[in-house]
Structures are given as structure tokens and as C-alpha cells.
Amino acid sequence: RKKGNAPSWEPLAVNYFDYAVWTNTDKQKNEWEKQLAYWQENLRGDLPVLQLSAAKRPVVKTNNGERKTYEIPGNLFKGIEVLCTAKRVTLNQGLIACLNLLFYKYTGNTDIITGTLTSGRQRSELENIAGLLINTVVLRTEVDPAAGFGDFLLNQQTVVENAFLHQDIPFAYLAEKLNRQRDISRSAIFDIMIIFNDERGYQQDALPEGFEVISYDKRPTSQLDIIFSFTVNNEGLSLYTEYNTDIYTEALIDRFVMHFEQLLAKCIEQPSVPLSAFSIVSEAEAQLVLDGFNKTVQAYETGITLTDLFRRRVSDMPDFPVVTFRNKVLTFRDIDVQSDLLAKYLVKKYCLQKEDIAAVSIKRSEWLPVVLLAVMKAGCAYLPVDPSNPRERIDYILQNSGSKVLVDAAELDRYAAVNPEDLQSVELPAAIDENNLAYVIYTSGSTGLPKGCMLEHKGVVNRIQWMWEKYNYSSIDSILQKTTFAFDVSVWEIFMPLCWGCRMVICDDDDVYAADRIAQLIENNKVTCLHFVPGLLNAFMDAVFEMPDLAKKLQSLNKVITSGEALPAATVDRWYSKMTAPVFNLYGPTEASVDVTYFDTKPGLQVIPIGKPVANTKMYVLDSFLNPVPVGITGDIYIGGVQLARGYLNNPELTSRKFIENPFMHGGRLYHTGDTGRWLEDGDIEYTGRNDNQVKIRGYRIETGEVEFQLLQLDGISGAVVMAADIAGTGKSLVAYVTGASTMSEICIKQELRKKLPDYMVPSFIVKMDAFPQNTNGKTDRKLLPMPGAGEDTAEQEFAELENET
Ligand code: AMP
Ligand code: MG
């Protein structure tokens, strides 16, 4: 402004972005076309999205912002300047490289898109014009994790130089030309911008006589997700940030800048170390997430098995009524005598030896704990097989496991016919120890067939002792056993009572989904604890809250356990709106003895984390190079500690892929869960999703690859994609998309699948397509698959025989 005057701006006479102005001559026209073609090529394919925090973003982009300026320490400024000079790159390019490296570290993305500004004064006519001529250009940077920072600098230089060589195409024009489907929660093409101002050459007296430069102190807003703007002046290097407060917090930006400085120091010191090896965590942060958040050592008794614990209870409390089923009640002594006999029968008839696998396939009844204990007393691991599985799948599991026996209803009938006297002299195998197998559970396998996960006594013993102590269980507790024994939730439902001594009330298979009967069971047996998959807890509340007399039957409850899938905050709030029994959210894969983290919920939370590691367990959130990521940053969840499975049965290849060496603890192993999450400040982990095609439907773990594999076995089906989707807001269900000449009706396809897969893996919807939509790389684009309409639900058209009274 002219000194002393209020500023007044005249609009520029010429819209210099005007295509017509820029393409006066053929030469200019050619140049324009060339530049446009450059960008179209450069921004080909799926554009990567850069998001530095796992926080949910507003559905529609907002401009709420804050800003903060940081001074970069002088030694770092000098260091990077020296390095840039040596490599003959500009400071601008060096700082952009370092920020991009940090983005890569935060997200694991190796393809990163940001924006930057050009002065827009390429033409000599524009040089002396006062006005905002800047243009935005896109920087698409490829990160090679194997390269050192020195080489990355050169790569970044090329990216920046190329962008500037093609800077004439106005950004808005380019965005329009690219004609991408816009995500209204985001800006066009990129969300983060990096700006560089060098004011070292700037001199006040270069202005015309009587003018001065002032800046407006505008209201804090944020045009983009974040703008990082570096300024170098005679004082040093500063970093101004402007960020969207609906996505980022000041603490996150502070931490980001702290990590930037740390990384800058590493880049300066070690420009030839591969980028993958740089960890952005400081020593203090690494110490916190690796150790501080994992202080879980508990000196539990070692060397004991589930059967050892059970025997102690038999001698402590022989007459305690541990098992209730319908109107039958069994004491510890009853269970002990029965399971001893059955163990002897099995050993005699099938020559069972230590660590043999014994498949068990029975409906829920008081026999269940007896059979499982008998198998263990025979020195064997039990392999639960849900009797409702199709024959073919059962056969596969039996054959794949090499199971020596199938304990089913028919076998129990044969056993019942044997005279107990004839078994008394049978010797059981020598006692097993904590390293022997307790059970083998088959879970869905991504390559088309289920896989058996082998769990040892020591992990399970640890898991149930932790739970018993953590939630103050005692002999006055009564646990509702309602999870099918084919899933490991049943392990604590069954073995906590058997091993530590409280009551177990076995729920009839038919009653598991009947809220009224569950409520009645709870009242009749003064049940104190039960488990729900979150989706089923909701369904339970639907029924119970509808009828006030049902809720009254739940008064004995004092702990509700959820696990198996993400627990929505709304579900928790809904529970506490009517109930007082606390809800505990547990997390863990079958591969790590049921659960490895816990979180005690309360009403009014925004998100329900999965919480902190259980005793003798370590949780890790790592990047793709197994570096720990700091608090707040999303990474892959790994599990270490005593609860890890031995591996997958007869599958050393998969075992070594999923169970790796623990880089932070000599001799330890880590299980790679496939889940993603992030540490919160207080040491809880927030679950953020999965990075593969494993899904959960009502708590059932399904590899969609297994369903696809079975679809592809059917005649005339040449392509199959299976996804989980929430079709009518009623929870997730499986949707299959198929291509090929098959004329089979949807119902037929489902019937065929039912011969191979358990019911919960049979898709609810089958959508026939001519071809799958593809992304620019020629791969099936799952995002573009159509949602089946709610009205098309074919499930309702099917006819099924009545199975039972309900
Ligand atoms: P499963 O082996 O059946 O226990 O399934 C393990 C998987 O279920 C985990 O890897 C998670 O993806 C998911 N899961 C289990 N518990 C939770 C939980 N509390 N919150 C979110 N996801 C969970
Ligand atoms: Mg689990």
C-alpha cells in the first residue's frame, strides 16, 4: 500500500489465465497442449490420497482452520542447506523432499501427491505487475524405500523441476480437464500443500518511493487439509502451518513438526541410509510405544496346563455345581469322573497319544465340558467342528488335521454302551505340559480352504488367569456359555469356570439368538457375565429394551464382554442408557489365545478403543518396514508374548509368513494380525480397520477369498468378487458378484455353496455381471461394484424346512 493510505486494489485488467490470451500463436498453442498432455500423463491412474491422521473427516469438506508457526533450529537449517548445495538442489526442493519423506513415513504410501505454488510470472510482461499471479502445480513424488535421502533429493528435484516446466496450465482448468470423480470431503487432486518463500533477497527499499508491504491478519481458516509454508529470511528458517481443525489438532501438528525436525536431522546425518530404515520415532517415543505401553509382565505360575488347574478345583471344591444345562447340574467331581472315563475310552479305542488331535462335533450340552476335558486328559488337543457345517467341509478339516478320532453324538452313544468297569485299568498318556497343544481351531483361509490354528496350554492359561483377576471373578460368578465351541470366545466361557471355579450355564443351541430365553436363563441362574459380538448386543437390546419386563430379568448381570468386531460408541451409549453392568471390549485373533487387549467402556465416548495389552502380552503398531510408529499414527497391529499360537497346522509356509521374528525382543515372535490401528496418548489402541479382504459378519471371521474360490469351482462362473456391505443399514452381509456363462439361478448358486461352506459364509446377495468394473491399472475396482438393492434380497424367496420349534 501507499504509506499512510488505506489499501485499495484495482482488479487486473486481464484475466491472464485466459486460454485465449495464452494461446495467441501456434507456438503458444503447442506449448499449452504439450503441458496439458504432461499433466494428464503425470496424473494418470488412481490418485493416491494423503491423510496424515486416522481421524474421521467431515463428510463435506470444511474450511475451519487454525495456524501456527514454528522456528526450525538453526543447525538443521544450515545442515539441510549444506546438503542441498552439495547435491546441487535448491533448498526448496530439499525441504519438499524431507516433508514428502515424512508423509511416506506417516502413511506408508510411496506415491505421494501434494501441491505447491509458482509465482506465475513466467512472462516478462508480468514481472512488474502488482497482483496475485500465483498458480498451483501438483507434485507427484515416487518414494523408493531402498534409496538413500541423497538420491531421493535428486528424484525430488526432477519432480519439482518438471512441475515448474509445466506450470502454465491453471490449476482449476487442469482439475476440470482431469474430470475425476470428486470426493466432496476433499480438495481437488491434493489435500496438502507445501510453499516456500525465500525473503533473503527482499529489500524494503526496492519498493517504489512511498510504498510499504503489509500483510493481512486474516481470520484463521484452512483452504486445504494442511498448508506447510517455509520462509527463509535473514533470521533463519520458519515453518508456518495452516490446518483444518475438523481433521487435525494442534497436538498432531506439533508432533508432526517435531517428527519433521527429527527426520531432517537423520537425512542430514545419513544421506545414504535407505529411507525404509529411517524411523520417525524419537528414542523417547520408541521407548514409550515399545516398552512404556507394554508393561504387562505378571508373574503368573508357569508350567501348568488347563487340566492341572481343573484338577486343583476338583480337589478344592468337589461339590461345587460348576455346570448347568437345562435342569441338569454337574459338580466338579461329576465332571472329573465322567471325563476320566471318557478319556480312557478314547485312549483305548483310538490308541491316542500325547499331542494327537481329536475332533469334537457335538451340540451344546453338559457333555461339552466333559468331552473337551476328556480329550485333554488323554493328552490331546481338541478340534471343534460345528456339526452344522456341510459334510465336505467337515471331511476336509478331519483329513487336513490328521485327526485320529471324531467324537460326535454317535461316538458318545457307543461310549455309553461300554461297561465302565472295562475301562478302569486303561492308562492315560504321560502328563502333558504347558507347551503341548490345547486346541486347534479352523478359521477361514484366503486361498480357498480353512486353516487350523494351534494353541498351546500356556497361552490359554495366561489368558484366562488374566481375565479372572482383571475382572475380579469369583465362585459367585455365573458365566453364560453361549458361543459355539468352534469359536475361541467359548474357550474362556468354558475354561474359566472349569479352571478357576465359578458356574457355567450352558445355553441351548436353539436359544442363542432368542433374547427372551437368554433373559430368562439369566434370571433363573443369576448369570453375572455373558459375551456378545457387538452386532448381536444391539439385536439383544432391540428385544430387551422393547419389553421392560425382560430388562428386569437382567439384574444379576455385572459384566458384559464384547469382542469379535469393532464396538460402536453408539452401542455402548445405548446399553448404558438402560443398564448399569459395565461393558468390556476385548480384542484378539484366534492366533493369540482369544484376546490380547481390553478396554473398559463408559458412556459418552467418541470412539471405543480396543485398549491395552493383557498380561504378558506386547502390542506393536508398526509401519511396513517393522519400524514402530509413534502415538497417533496408523500402522499394522502385531502381537507378541506368551499367548501366540504355535502356528498353522501342517502349514509351515503360512506360519512363517504370519508369525515372524520379534525385532524388539530376542527370541520372541510376532503375529501379524492384518488389523490396522494407532496408539492413543494414554496407551490405548484404537482399531482402524483391516488391510486385506478378511471381513466379519455378525462376528464370524470370513476370508472373502475362500468364498470366491468356492464360487469359481461352479460350472460357468468365471469371475467372482465377494465383499461385505451394509445393504439396508441392518448390519453387514456378504455380497457376491459373479461373471461367466452360468445360467444357474441365484438360489441354485447358494445351494451349491451351502454344500461347501458354513451358512454364514454363503453370500446373502449374488449379483450377476457381464464384466467387473476396472480401475486404470486393469484391476477390478471394488469401489465401483453396484450395491444390490434392498428389494432384491433373495434370501426371502428361499424355502427351508422347519428345523425346530422356534
Ligand atoms: P477371530 O480370530 O475370530 O477372533 O477374529 C479376529 C479378528 O476380529 C481381529 O483380527 C479383528 O479384525 C476382529 N476383532 C476382534 N475383536 C475386535 C474388537 N474388539 N474390535 C475390533 N475388531 C475386532
Ligand atoms: Mg478373538
Side-chain angles (χ1 to χ4, degrees), residues 2 48 70 260 566 634 661 792:
K2 206 149 188 191
Y70 304 81
F260 172 73
T634 306
E661 219 177 281
E792 292 165 38

Side-chain angles (χ1 to χ4, degrees), residues 86-260:
K87 293 280 173 189
R88 295 171 193 279
V89 305
T90 65
L91 181 59
N92 178 20
Q93 293 158 354
L95 292 169
I96 291 175
C98 198
L99 266 183
N100 270 327
L101 180 54
L102 192 55
F103 297 151
Y104 152 70
K105 284 288 168 189
Y106 261 59
T107 61
N109 294 355
T110 52
D111 181 5
I112 294 171
I113 292 190
T114 60
T116 191
L117 294 179
T118 70
S119 68
R121 291 167 193 266
Q122 291 285 86
R123 295 169 68 159
S124 54
E125 305 95 292
L126 300 172
E127 255 169 39
N128 288 322
I129 288 189
L132 184 73
L133 303 188
I134 54 169
N135 185 26
T136 300
V137 292
V138 180
L139 301 177
R140 185 171 195 177
T141 308
E142 193 78 40
V143 181
D144 173 6
F149 185 69
D151 291 335
F152 182 52
L153 266 183
L154 300 179
N155 173 19
Q156 189 69 77
Q157 176 176 47
T158 313
V159 170
V160 177
E161 281 177 353
N162 275 332
F164 279 66
L165 276 175
H166 302 93
Q167 63 170 283
D168 294 334
I169 307 288
F171 178 71
Y173 178 86
L174 176 65
E176 201 180 291
K177 273 281 167 196
L178 288 175
N179 192 25
R180 288 298 157 86
Q181 210 179 6
R182 272 294 296 281
D183 174 347
I184 53 170
S185 76
R186 298 183 172 278
S187 310
I189 307 182
F190 62 83
D191 297 296
I192 291 181
M193 182 180 257
I194 311 172
I195 304 173
F196 179 79
N197 313 295
D198 194 340
E199 292 181 352
R200 281 177 295 190
Y202 171 81
Q203 286 163 359
Q204 189 71 30
D205 60 14
L207 288 170
E209 180 58 28
F211 282 81
E212 66 180 348
V213 173
I214 57 158
S215 59
Y216 270 111
D217 199 22
K218 69 178 173 72
R219 189 170 56 86
T221 57
S222 184
Q223 223 181 322
L224 297 164
D225 280 10
I226 315 182
I227 294 174
F228 293 100
S229 178
F230 293 99
T231 298
V232 193
N233 55 28
N234 297 329
E235 268 105 73
L237 175 64
S238 64
L239 173 56
Y240 164 89
T241 62
E242 191 177 281
Y243 56 93
N244 185 310
T245 44
D246 294 324
I247 309 173
Y248 298 101
T249 60
E250 182 179 351
L252 269 172
I253 303 291
D254 281 350
R255 198 175 311 124
F256 189 86
V257 173
M258 188 262 284
H259 288 142
F260 172 73

